[in-house]
Amino acid sequence: MEQARELESAVKSFLPYILKKKAEHLWIDYDKKVDVLYISFRKPQKAADSVMEGDFIFHYSRKKIVGITVLNAKEKL
């Protein structure tokens, strides 16, 4: 039950950003071995440009953000 509450809280905090993005689909993958979370706003693809800020890597294609990689994802909980 506590796990469901934690997930609900995370979704509620993340949801406004997703709705503003107006993405029709969202792909989320988590690699437990290396603790990396991948979020794609378009069908996963190679980005033309990437910018790293701390533990976040923002992926761009034609100057539009197409995905985010979160390093050390468990630390963000």
Side-chain angles (χ1 to χ4, degrees), residues 9-69:
S9 176
V11 169
K12 282 182 179 179
S13 64
F14 191 54
L15 193 58
Y17 300 103
I18 297 302
L19 294 176
K20 284 180 186 177
K21 185 69 182 116
K22 298 181 182 176
E24 291 184 23
H25 299 280
L26 181 69
W27 290 265
I28 300 175
D29 292 298
Y30 176 67
D31 186 333
K32 187 176 183 177
K33 287 183 182 180
V34 293
D35 191 25
V36 175
L37 179 69
Y38 304 96
I39 304 167
S40 297
F41 301 112
R42 292 188 186 168
K43 193 171 186 177
Q45 58 185 298
K46 291 184 179 180
D49 191 23
S50 297
V51 176
M52 185 170 187
E53 293 183 20
D55 283 342
F56 296 88
I57 304 171
F58 299 93
H59 305 282
Y60 296 88
S61 179
R62 298 182 183 166
K63 298 185 182 182
K64 291 187 179 184
I65 192 162
V66 295
I68 302 169
T69 300

